[in-house]
Amino acid sequence: MTIKEIFDSMDYGLAPESAADAFAWLVDQGSRFGLFIDGTFTQPGKGFESRNPATGEVLAELTQATQKDVEAAVKAARAAQPGWAEIGGTGRAMFLYAIARLLQKHSRLFAVLETLDNGKPIRESRDIDIPLVQRHFYHHAGHAQLMDTEMAGREALGVCGQIIPWNFPLLMLAWKVAPALAMGNTVVLKPAEYTSLTALLFADICRQAGLPKGVVNIVTGDGAVGEMIVNAKVDKIAFTGSTDVGRKIRQATAGSGKALTLELGGKSPYIVFDDADLDSAIEGLVDAIWFNQGQVCCAGSRLLVQESVSERFHTKLRARMKTLRLGDPLDKCVDVGAIIDPVQHAQITKMVASARNCTVHQSPVALPTQGCFYPPTLIEGLSPADPLMQEEIFGPVLVSTTFRTPAEAVELANNTRYGLAATLWTENVNLALDIAPKLAAGVVWVNGTNMFDAAAPFGGVRESGFGREGGVEGLMAYTRASEKPEPLAPVPAFESNDAPVAPGGLDRTAKMFVGGKQARPDGGYSKPVYGPDGNLLGHVGIGNRKDVRNAVEAAHAAKGWSKTTGHLRAQILYYLAENLAARADEFAMRIDAMTGKGTGAAEVEASLQRLFSAAAWADKYDGLAHGVPIRGVALGMKEPVGTIGILCADEAPLLGLISAVAPALAMGNRVVLAASQAFPLAATDLYQVLETSDLPAGVVNILTGSHKELGETLVKHLNLDAVWSFSSTDLSKMIEEASAGNLKRTWVNNGQAFDWSRDQSKRFLQAATEVKTVWIPYGE
């Protein structure tokens, strides 16, 4: 083709990136790799081939780790962890800086190897993935340096098992390894079976940096190796991958005491309003769905366009699809590379073939004769309930529908079980900042997409998982409080002395408190409450599934509480404290009568202080403007979790209840409480205080009865967003296992005592909020 012909056609010529150095590195290793355990590579064993998805060419042979290998890696990490923690934040920072510098030094080698192994265009691995990897190690080196002063009272968890996917092999490694090491943990990491080569190159970098042996261990293999790590004696599991696998991990770790973060699937909406710069929105959409061949958990795979501009937008989009360049990922001019594996290619093909009553448009590109390539695809005319609008395709396939009003856009965007990310395009900043908080997503991009940074938390809500990667929130997930809790003994209810009636001859049966009013238990059963001397103090209802359902419905009806200001919530909490103080002696006497400890007055006083603390925090526990390297800002907005079920403490029947509920209310949550099983009258006496404190109906709902039965129903209820258990009956395993149904957030005590005498409101505030990161670029 002559220069004139090139100018006439505007075709791009070839701009191949040399893979010579990457192949040379593979050859230097013998094109066969063992595992990286205790600072050395093991001899290669039986395993599998790693192939270039663009050509089918075998790149290397990798070792399938065995149970013995995983145990050896965990043992090495366990032995190295105390020393790694003891060198202090300054010492760890030095190593992280060294790793970051070596990543920069070998950046092109990493980029080429990533493209060979994964199939993504070299432009993406070179300009996005590898610079972000370096950024994470530099950023977290700084956090390591500051840990001793800025995170006083926190310590490393210990050994962390980390399992990463194949779509961003090295970047996902950095997201997990950098914060774990910064906080003093050691790691056992399993890269994806398809894409392990850059993880093994990273292991070589760790050796060059002089990282102490055992701090980083890398074991390769299929999903069976991941299961071994999940079941190993580690202190935390961090997983990025599919929602189905995440659900299994939640069940497998239930009751083990292992910390867990899950970054799972998504079906992210890409919302275009009628005032948007349509050409910019088109380019953003190309990055949102065809970046990394659509194999991105936060891909903008659901296009929602305002009806008035829909036809014009789709016309522009189809025209832009004609110009997309698909081919050799090592060609710097290629936009779309190869699908990771024939299995994934077949899954994408099957899902697109299932489309009905719609229009399928595919980019008219010539597919290479070898390798796993799939054309960029647009499917129009689907209903919101269509499986392709609801399920993650994980390929270069965009599904589209329209909306008329901003309210309808929000409804459509949130019509999914996922909640990872969302994008919106509008020139109206007021509209953008009105819509962003309404979207059920952990990350919202305004007039941009796929923006990431080590300083900005990333993670989802709903079935997109829980926990955050990046920012201070990501660091907190790799630490715990330094104090060592004591075991919690079950607190039994007192038995009867056969006295026939309550003191004074009056039989009082407390009802439930649901929707702002007292309600009889649905089952029509009650149980007696006795004091330490066996005297009957009263009766309380025995709650059942119907009572839980009614309470959750009442809490959902009170969702307006989440939209109120912190100032208003503070006033109501202060008022609640004022009304409780007016009856302090009565509550103190009731606590003493139930428990026989004589500490009622102190417990009431501490409860009042917790209410004042929560009121004080209500308009002060706010977000951050993260310093990200763009012309713009990433806002870390604190949002309420939603509706929280709480099994209240038995050892502190009033203080435990108030300590948990007050911060939850301060942050805008609604709660369904199961009162202390042993001493429930402290909660039932609270009904009148709640009724006279201007608290909207349904914000607080209180049930009485068996913690096991109420807890089991609460955790299985799909309209609850979180369950906390401080019950002296250890229900941790049951709650965590059952929470996998909709991956609700959990906070359980694992049979360990909680020090209710200390004001730990900050811990409750953290558990009562989700961080939503809203990216807002600015400038012309």
Side-chain angles (χ1 to χ4, degrees), residues 8-225:
D8 288 341
S9 66
M10 293 303 289
D11 285 340
Y12 281 77
L14 296 177
E17 174 72 41
S18 172
D21 287 346
F23 282 120
W25 181 79
L26 291 171
V27 170
D28 287 344
Q29 312 304 313
S31 298
R32 296 182 70 228
F33 290 86
L35 313 173
F36 186 70
I37 298 176
D38 203 20
T40 60
F41 281 100
T42 66
Q43 287 297 314
K46 293 181 179 180
F48 53 96
E49 296 174 335
S50 181
R51 292 177 176 270
N52 181 345
T55 64
E57 174 187 9
V58 176
L59 298 172
E61 293 183 7
L62 306 180
T63 298
Q64 171 76 17
T66 65
Q67 181 68 46
K68 185 177 180 181
D69 293 325
V70 171
E71 290 172 358
V74 172
K75 182 179 179 180
R78 184 68 67 190
Q81 196 276 323
W84 179 244
E86 286 171 9
I87 68 172
T90 299
R92 295 193 297 275
M94 297 282 288
F95 284 107
L96 290 173
Y97 278 127
I99 291 172
R101 287 193 293 269
L102 285 166
L103 286 166
Q104 286 181 314
K105 179 179 178 180
H106 299 289
S107 61
R108 190 55 64 96
L109 174 60
F110 272 106
V112 174
L113 189 61
E114 192 82 319
T115 289
L116 286 172
D117 204 21
N118 172 272
K120 66 175 61 186
I122 185 66
R123 292 189 304 112
E124 295 177 8
S125 54
R126 180 196 64 196
D127 300 339
I128 299 173
D129 290 29
I130 307 306
L132 272 173
V133 170
Q134 300 158 6
R135 163 71 173 154
H136 270 269
F137 279 95
Y138 273 122
H139 180 79
H140 286 95
H143 275 303
Q145 179 75 25
L146 300 174
M147 181 182 179
D148 294 341
T149 57
E150 298 304 309
M151 300 189 75
R154 307 291 295 179
E155 66 179 11
L157 291 171
V159 177
C160 300
Q162 302 178 326
I163 305 167
I164 59 175
W166 43 259
N167 54 344
F168 292 93
L170 190 64
L171 182 56
M172 293 297 100
L173 178 152
W175 278 21
K176 289 178 168 52
V177 171
L181 298 192
M183 296 295 99
N185 302 278
T186 54
V187 302
V188 177
L189 178 133
K190 190 198 90 68
E193 179 183 4
Y194 296 141
T195 53
S196 300
L197 295 182
T198 48
L200 295 168
L201 176 56
F202 176 79
D204 199 22
I205 291 296
C206 290
R207 291 197 305 183
Q208 293 179 42
L211 194 70
K213 293 182 178 181
V215 172
V216 170
N217 304 271
I218 296 175
V219 291
T220 55
D222 57 17
V225 180

Side-chain angles (χ1 to χ4, degrees), residues 587-603:
F587 274 86
M589 291 172 58
R590 173 69 90 179
I591 293 170
D592 289 341
M594 285 191 300
T595 66
K597 295 179 181 179
T599 57
E603 185 168 336

